[in-house]
Amino acid sequence: MDSSAYVSLKDVVFSRSGRRIFDGVSLEIPRGKITAIMGPSGTGKTTLLRLIGGQLRPDSGSIEVDGHQVPALRRKQLYALREKMGMLFQSGALFTDLSVFENVAFPLRVHTDLPEDMIRDIVLMKLEAVGLRGARKLMPSELSGGMTRRVALARSIALDPELIMYDEPFAGQDPIAMGVLVKLIRDLNRSMGLTSVLVSHDVPESLSICHYACIIADGKVIGAGTPDELRDHPSRQVQQFLQGQPDGPVPFHYPATDAAEDYGLMGGDS
Amino acid sequence: MAQRTTEIIVGLFMIAGLAALLVLALQVSGLSPKAAESTYTLYADFNDTGGLTPRGRVSMAGVTVGTIESIALNKNTFQARVTMSIQSDIDTIPADSSAVIRTSGLLGEQYIDISIGGDMDSLQDGDTFYSTQSAMNLERLISNFASGR
Amino acid sequence: MIARIASLGRMGLDIVSSLGRSGRFLAGVLAGVPNPATGFPLLVKQLYAVGVLSLAIVVVSGLFIGMVLGLQGYTILSDYGSEAAIGQMIALTLVRELGPVVTALLFAGRAGSALTAEIGLMKATEQLSSMEMMGVDPLRRVIAPRLWAGFVAMPVLAVIFSVVGIWGGMLVGVDWLGVFEGSFWGNMQSSVDFVDDVMNGVIKSIVFGFVCAWIAVYQGYDCVPTSAGISSATTKTVVYSSLAVLGLDFVLTAVMFGNF
């Protein structure tokens, strides 16, 4: 890694309702690059983003964003830091009672005192960047899933953040919408120099755009490096995930008692 | 809906609320918009105040001229001492007037009626009525009422 | 047996912790001075949603309750030949009790459940989270205006309810059953006191408004963000609000009108 880390996690431990989700996770997200965080469903990838955003606090360990210790920040400082972050939620999370235009204008209206015509120009510029300038009068309920995400993307970059986090941007998208999103993420990173964090389990798409990837499973980082390094990773677990093999170190079966016992066929041939 | 329309409708809603409160004040509770008037205090001792309550009215010839402030037992005479405040402009109540406890209607509330005397002097602030007439005994009235209906 | 006791204990702990969370939640909502420039339009919008849109059901219920009071009161009072006291009866019943209480119950059903469902859905669709990530505190931006709107709207609705009810009672008593209008109003005016009756009723409705809005927004904010979670939160809003209103009504009545 040639650039310094924008976000760095050290030995983060986090558990929720008695279940340990992260057990000593350490990773670095380099400035100005796209980092993909991958892992099987249910490993708490979204939780990781919430930890970085300060919505959740780790049980122990340090989370540093742009030189600030996130868990130690006071409310006000945290909100100030969040103005430098954008987050694209899985569902888009557009405000359903506001039009597309107002959704994108929302962070500008709240955080700046810009005059109305300037807000209009910025919003149209951001919508143009995601190719939806023409859809500004629509309500969120009239948008398709892919368009919703693009509007949400325009909204998260409205304040020109330094860090943008994508939560499962490709989940449930048709190939065209996926292609559009891949292109957008790459363009945004290149043109604005954004530090991007991508949480996903879509291996090919993620590996195709990221500079750096890390794989999380069972509360630990099991592999990290550039896409090429990962493809040649010695760990069987990493290979199983990348190639999508149904059985391997991560078993196909959820831990259970002996099948024969469950079916009531003690000693029988199943 | 445009913000402006919403604002107007909400404004009308608030005005409706204020108007309703005004109706409750003026029409329902009979609050007169007069400012708090100046009053003076008179006392009366009764053998029995019956169901007289503070805030009850004091009237002369059916016109309300004041309110009952408090009712307390006089420990020396074992009579009830009623404190009432009378509007200052009614300052010519003859000194030999008497205070009578009456009931408005059959089941209505009790109030003090001042029956006018003939003295040339008038009662001053802090004076006590010379003669009083206690609440009428309702028992007979009720038995009549119960059987005679 | 031990398991029963343990589950009872867990229930108690759950209740206490939920009370604690709702208190902290309330403190979070009320902390910080709202910015009048951004806060006022939001408040107006919520006043429209919880106040103006509840007006129809409040007016119609008020009218019918007043009319029923008129009819029932007349039948009973005319047995004693004192049907003129009907105005007094209707006004006191409405202003002291039915106005604030029935309005609060209707409010919980009409506006409270809607608030809970709306906030619950905003939570389920990550709108609250995304707001937080944009550096906007949803407690102040989303919850506070709704809480204040309930607080302001309830007394307004309650006095409107009382006035409409009294008018309905007059319609039945005076226009239908022929009670003399002068004694209808006269009796009412001599027995209803502005401070002791009307203002106490208004204070009651302010308390109810606050409690109902608090329960509604808290249930929405605290719900499990799934469809089952939202539906159970909505039910809880209506049930808890109704119970809280009736219980508080007794306490307030005892303090205001009881002779302690």
Side-chain angles (χ1 to χ4, degrees), chain C residues 29-32 34 39 43 46-47 50 115 139-140 142-155 209-210 213-214 217:
Chain C
V29 175
L30 299 181
L43 179 65
Q46 291 311 319
L47 269 177
V50 304
L115 280 179
L139 287 186
R140 292 188 193 165
V142 176
I143 309 291
R146 286 168 170 77
L147 190 71
W148 286 115
F151 186 65
V152 173
M154 183 78 85
F210 189 75
W214 179 19
V217 293

Side-chain angles (χ1 to χ4, degrees), chain B residues 8 13 33 41 46 48-49 55 67 82 94 96 106 110 117 119 138 140:
Chain B
I8 292 169
F13 172 69
T41 307
F46 293 97
D48 180 9
T49 54
R55 279 207 304 112
T67 54
V82 175
D96 62 346
L106 201 50
Q110 293 189 308
D119 205 322
L138 276 174
R140 206 189 65 206

Side-chain angles (χ1 to χ4, degrees), chain B residues 31-37 87:
Chain B
L31 194 76
S32 44
K34 269 182 279 178
E37 326 151 76
Q87 292 163 22

Side-chain angles (χ1 to χ4, degrees), chain B residues 20-149:
Chain B
L21 190 64
L22 212 65
V23 169
L24 286 186
L26 300 183
Q27 182 74 358
V28 175
S29 64
L31 194 76
S32 44
K34 269 182 279 178
E37 326 151 76
S38 58
T39 56
Y40 66 100
T41 307
L42 292 180
Y43 299 96
D45 294 316
F46 293 97
N47 291 326
D48 180 9
T49 54
L52 205 64
T53 53
R55 279 207 304 112
R57 65 194 169 94
V58 179
S59 71
M60 278 171 82
V63 179
T64 303
V65 296
T67 54
I68 297 167
E69 290 293 314
S70 66
I71 301 168
L73 185 69
N74 183 334
K75 273 185 263 177
N76 298 323
T77 60
F78 296 109
Q79 280 185 314
R81 188 163 182 83
V82 175
T83 311
M84 50 197 129
S85 47
I86 310 292
Q87 292 163 22
S88 315
D89 51 335
I90 318 287
D91 54 359
T92 51
I93 303 172
D96 62 346
S97 300
S98 57
V100 184
I101 296 180
R102 288 190 196 282
T103 308
S104 63
L106 201 50
L107 294 168
E109 102 264 45
Q110 293 189 308
Y111 64 98
I112 292 182
D113 188 46
I114 299 173
S115 26
I116 315 298
D119 205 322
M120 293 305 286
D121 293 336
S122 49
L123 288 166
Q124 301 299 314
D125 184 29
D127 283 354
T128 303
F129 279 99
Y130 176 68
S131 72
T132 60
Q133 188 182 320
S134 291
M136 75 175 120
N137 187 351
L138 276 174
E139 245 169 19
R140 206 189 65 206
L141 209 62
I142 287 170
S143 61
N144 281 355
F145 168 72
S147 60
R149 151 182 119 64

